[in-house]
Amino acid sequence: MKKILITGGAGFIGSHLCKKLLDEGNDVLCLDNYFTGTKENIKELSDSPYFETIRHDICFPLYVEVDQIFNLACPASPIHYQHDPVQTTKTSVHGAINMLGLAKRINARILQASTSEVYGDPETHPQDEKYWGNVNPIGPRSCYDEGKRCAETLFFDYYRQHKLDIKVVRIFNTYGPKMHPNDGRVVSNFIMQALTNKDITVFGDGKQTRSFCYIDDMVIGLKNMMDSDEGIIGPINLGNPTELKIIDLAKLIINMTNSKSKIIHADLPKDDPVRRKPDISIANKTLNWKPTIEVEDGLKETIKFFQTQIK
Ligand code: NAD
Ligand code: UDP
């Protein structure tokens, strides 16, 4: 039995990871400040004697004894990370310093949940890990993008300078049950709008693309990376390479929900990436990982979840 700390454990990805690691017989410590995560997400785990929660902000130091740390704490949706951009950068940067300091002190393995946003508005397609990115350092997305880039820098400097056992994954758009219904991301927005027959808000002309990975696939990718051999440090892309235009996602969700919603167009947010699709050959080869869940199947489960969220 391993003792595993998951920061951001009450969030969307974190809560699924907590469940999986608990089901596999580990002792899980879930840390969260509940900025975007909820106690509801982890309620089903609270009866287990091997599940513990701690309310804490990773911008402040932490003293616990664990074998592994998954560092997931950070708001991920643009409306949430732009709500208090200074806190977002602090969470990424001070948070990384604190969690790396903890890992160093207790000699724990630590995994960083980085993001496809480190590639910014990419000029190469699909994006592989060698690409250094095209990121605006002073725009509204910069608190998140540059914060996550700096966190990667810190991870690699702790690796080089202190021989820390690090792992860095770059997560691409992930969706599924337990996403916050109001978190503003495209899948949750479109499904909630479709289920309530409200207008579907496509930003811009909808020709921008994203590639959507279902949560169950992502959790396996994260676990495989954490359990990989010591020499494997990343960064490694994790995501589903099936690329979709946002307008096509809107139509698919309208169809799948038999919705009466109409598509309307709203302004495209500043610096919204035009195309995004992961090259996952390294994850495939090194972690023996690739997504197995088709977007229609993942959406079906996600729609079922959001049906339970309508008051
Ligand atoms: P989420 O917002 O649902 O979860 C983030 C969690 O971190 C929340 O529970 C929140 O309350 C917590 N948190 C935020 N700031 C904190 C702080 N200072 N101290 C402690 N807890 C804090 O988002 P998610 O989709 O589950 O994302 C999890 C991680 O994965 C994030 O680091 C995100 O950047 C990364 N990621 C997610 C996606 C995606 O598509 N979901 C894509 C790329 C990267
Ligand atoms: N988007 C949209 N309507 C919405 C929410 C998002 O058209 O109601 C678009 C957004 O402009 C972007 C894509 O969907 O092009 C994905 O947005 P999201 O916020 O989910 O994640 P991102 O990949 O931009 O971080």
Side-chain angles (χ1 to χ4, degrees):
M1 181 186 268
K2 285 192 210 93
K3 288 197 197 113
I4 306 178
L5 167 66
I6 303 176
T7 79
F12 160 53
I13 299 180
S15 57
H16 285 273
L17 189 60
C18 283
K19 178 165 181 359
K20 183 78 174 172
L21 294 171
L22 201 57
D23 286 349
E24 290 184 351
N26 297 292
D27 192 325
V28 173
L29 176 56
C30 165
L31 175 153
D32 213 291
N33 70 350
Y34 302 106
F35 174 49
T36 52
T38 63
K39 290 185 182 165
E40 187 63 31
N41 279 345
I42 46 173
K43 203 166 106 195
E44 59 175 324
L45 312 178
S46 57
D47 285 344
S48 166
Y50 301 108
F51 184 70
E52 223 178 314
T53 56
I54 169 168
R55 181 191 286 270
H56 182 81
D57 182 331
I58 60 162
C59 298
F60 299 94
L62 177 76
Y63 300 94
V64 292
E65 299 290 331
V66 291
D67 305 306
Q68 296 181 341
I69 303 169
F70 285 88
N71 188 35
L72 268 58
C74 187
S77 136
I79 56 164
H80 284 137
Y81 70 64
Q82 290 171 21
H83 168 75
D84 184 350
V86 173
Q87 170 67 11
T88 300
T89 302
K90 280 187 187 168
T91 294
S92 285
V93 177
H94 293 188
I97 292 171
N98 288 325
M99 293 308 106
L100 286 161
L102 171 66
K104 179 171 164 247
R105 188 174 64 81
I106 60 179
N107 202 18
R109 174 171 284 193
I110 180 165
L111 178 147
Q112 168 68 357
S114 190
T115 166
S116 52
E117 288 282 327
V118 300
Y119 301 124
D121 190 4
E123 298 137 314
T124 64
H125 194 80
Q127 293 79 54
D128 66 29
E129 294 85 346
K130 286 199 293 298
Y131 179 50
W132 287 356
N134 175 36
V135 176
N136 178 356
I138 56 167
R141 294 176 89 100
S142 313
C143 57
Y144 183 73
D145 300 9
E146 296 289 22
K148 289 283 190 178
R149 285 168 68 94
C150 184
E152 286 199 11
T153 307
L154 285 161
F155 268 71
F156 278 80
D157 282 334
Y158 267 79
Y159 168 74
R160 284 184 288 255
Q161 201 174 326
H162 300 299
K163 312 275 173 288
L164 204 68
D165 187 3
I166 66 153
K167 308 271 173 193
V168 175
V169 290
R170 293 181 176 155
I171 301 173
F172 283 63
N173 296 66
T174 302
Y175 70 99
K178 294 191 180 173
M179 289 182 94
H180 199 288
N182 300 322
D183 91 350
R185 282 184 271 192
V186 69
V187 173
S188 43
N189 269 11
F190 285 1
I191 296 180
M192 286 304 285
Q193 290 163 341
L195 290 176
T196 52
N197 294 310
K198 295 204 175 107
D199 291 341
I200 306 263
T201 52
V202 169
F203 299 161
D205 60 12
K207 288 196 188 127
Q208 71 272 32
T209 69
R210 295 292 187 273
S211 307
F212 296 98
C213 183
Y214 189 63
I215 183 66
D216 292 2
D217 283 328
M218 183 55 61
V219 164
I220 293 171
L222 289 168
K223 252 172 33 69
N224 285 7
M225 182 60 166
M226 181 58 103
D227 295 337
S228 63
D229 293 344
E230 191 163 339
I232 298 168
I233 57 174
I236 295 186
N237 288 340
L238 293 180
N240 188 323
T242 308
E243 190 181 2
L244 259 183
K245 288 196 181 81
I246 293 303
I247 188 86
D248 293 335
L249 176 72
K251 289 177 189 161
L252 180 60
I253 289 175
I254 290 175
N255 266 337
M256 290 182 69
T257 51
N258 288 322
S259 172
K260 297 190 183 64
S261 295
K262 303 221 163 14
I263 292 176
I264 58 160
H265 291 269
D267 288 346
L268 191 66
K270 188 168 174 346
D271 296 338
D272 200 277
V274 178
R275 295 185 76 187
R276 186 183 288 154
K277 168 183 164 144
D279 178 330
I280 55 160
S281 8
I282 294 187
N284 198 346
K285 209 160 45 191
T286 322
L287 308 177
N288 191 24
W289 178 86
K290 65 170 193 244
T292 57
I293 297 157
E294 301 289 336
V295 76
E296 282 84 357
D297 296 328
L299 284 176
K300 211 159 112 191
E301 291 306 309
T302 313
I303 290 165
K304 261 196 244 161
F305 166 77
F306 281 116
Q307 273 161 340
T308 68
Q309 301 298 299
I310 293 170
K311 309 274 181 269

